């Protein structure tokens, strides 16, 4: 969360001249509802079911750059789908940077709490090993401009293809 997935994903898609998809936006389009509304009405479990269904549909497309939501890796099925469907990049970022980047964003239901730092720390402890499990590349985004991160990903991707 707040690692720059959408920004960096768009840069990659422009450079590669392929479509960009943001899984959260795809969920909203498929559902006809916002992410916060889905969380309010269906809870996180309901959202995760929708996320898995939409992920499976989106991954049927050829040649896309996909920015998933931060919790997409929680499902073993999602991790399998991602690992077999393409080159997976884990954008690592510190809790401090996550807090800076998400401070004013009200579209993140899991952070609408008195102590978002504690939530992010707990999420990192559980999720980071899952990201490491599925990723072909892990890259630190702290204090790096998005264009530099995209450049590093492109170089890694090019090496993996040769």
């Amino acid at each position: 969360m707040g690692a720059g997935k959408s920004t960096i994903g768009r840069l990659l898609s422009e450079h590669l001249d392929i479509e960009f998809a943001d899984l959260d936006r795809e969920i909203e389009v498929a559902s006809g509802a916002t992410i916060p509304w889905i969380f309010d009405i269906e809870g996180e479990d309901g959202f995760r079911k929708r996320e898995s269904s939409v992920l499976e549909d989106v991954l049927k497309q050829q040649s896309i750059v996909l920015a998933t939501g931060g919790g997409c890796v929680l499902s073993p099925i999602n991790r399998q789908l991602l690992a077999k469907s393409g080159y997976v990049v884990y954008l690592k970022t510190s809790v401090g940077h996550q807090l800076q980047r998400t401070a004013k964003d009200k579209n993140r239901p899991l952070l609408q709490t008195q102590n978002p730092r504690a939530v992010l720390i707990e999420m990192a402890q559980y999720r980071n090993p899952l990201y490491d499990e599925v990723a072909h590349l892990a890259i630190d985004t702290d204090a790096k401009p998005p264009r530099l991160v995209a450049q590093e990903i492109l170089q890694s991707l090019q090496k993996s293809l040769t």
Side-chain angles (χ1 to χ4, degrees):
M1 195 179 301
K5 297 179 296 292
S6 295
T7 301
I8 293 164
R10 282 187 188 91
L11 290 169
L12 291 170
S13 75
E14 288 171 14
H15 182 82
L16 296 168
D17 196 27
I18 58 177
E19 185 180 341
F20 170 75
D22 182 301
L23 189 59
D24 284 347
R25 293 300 143 273
E26 297 292 326
I27 293 165
E28 289 182 335
V29 168
S31 303
T34 66
I35 302 295
W37 187 89
I38 296 168
F39 267 81
D40 285 347
I41 301 303
E42 299 178 6
E44 186 172 359
D45 286 344
F47 172 78
R48 295 294 170 209
K49 287 177 186 169
R50 288 178 184 264
E51 180 179 57
S52 292
S53 174
V54 173
L55 175 66
E56 190 171 0
D57 289 342
V58 170
L59 289 178
K60 290 176 183 170
Q61 298 176 41
Q62 296 295 314
S63 299
I64 64 166
V65 173
L66 174 65
T68 66
C72 189
V73 295
L74 295 172
S75 162
I77 293 168
N78 290 355
R79 291 194 304 275
Q80 289 173 354
L81 284 169
L82 289 167
K84 76 176 187 176
S85 296
Y87 191 76
V88 179
V89 178
Y90 166 25
L91 300 178
K92 293 178 142 186
T93 190
S94 67
V95 169
H97 276 87
Q98 285 179 292
L99 285 168
Q100 285 177 339
R101 294 173 184 167
T102 62
K104 296 178 182 173
D105 190 344
K106 300 300 179 201
N107 204 33
R108 299 180 186 271
L110 295 176
L111 296 184
Q112 303 311 307
T113 178
Q114 292 292 343
N115 191 349
R117 176 180 291 279
V119 170
L120 289 169
I121 290 169
E122 183 178 334
M123 286 171 36
Q125 290 171 342
Y126 185 75
R127 292 178 180 186
N128 288 359
L130 301 176
Y131 298 143
D132 284 327
E133 173 188 320
V134 73
H136 297 94
L137 170 69
I139 189 165
D140 181 14
T141 67
D142 280 0
K144 287 184 186 174
R147 289 199 183 281
L148 177 60
V149 175
Q151 204 170 32
E152 289 177 21
I153 293 167
L154 289 166
Q155 289 170 352
S156 179
L157 179 59
Q158 188 173 27
K159 286 179 187 175
S160 77
L161 297 173
T162 58

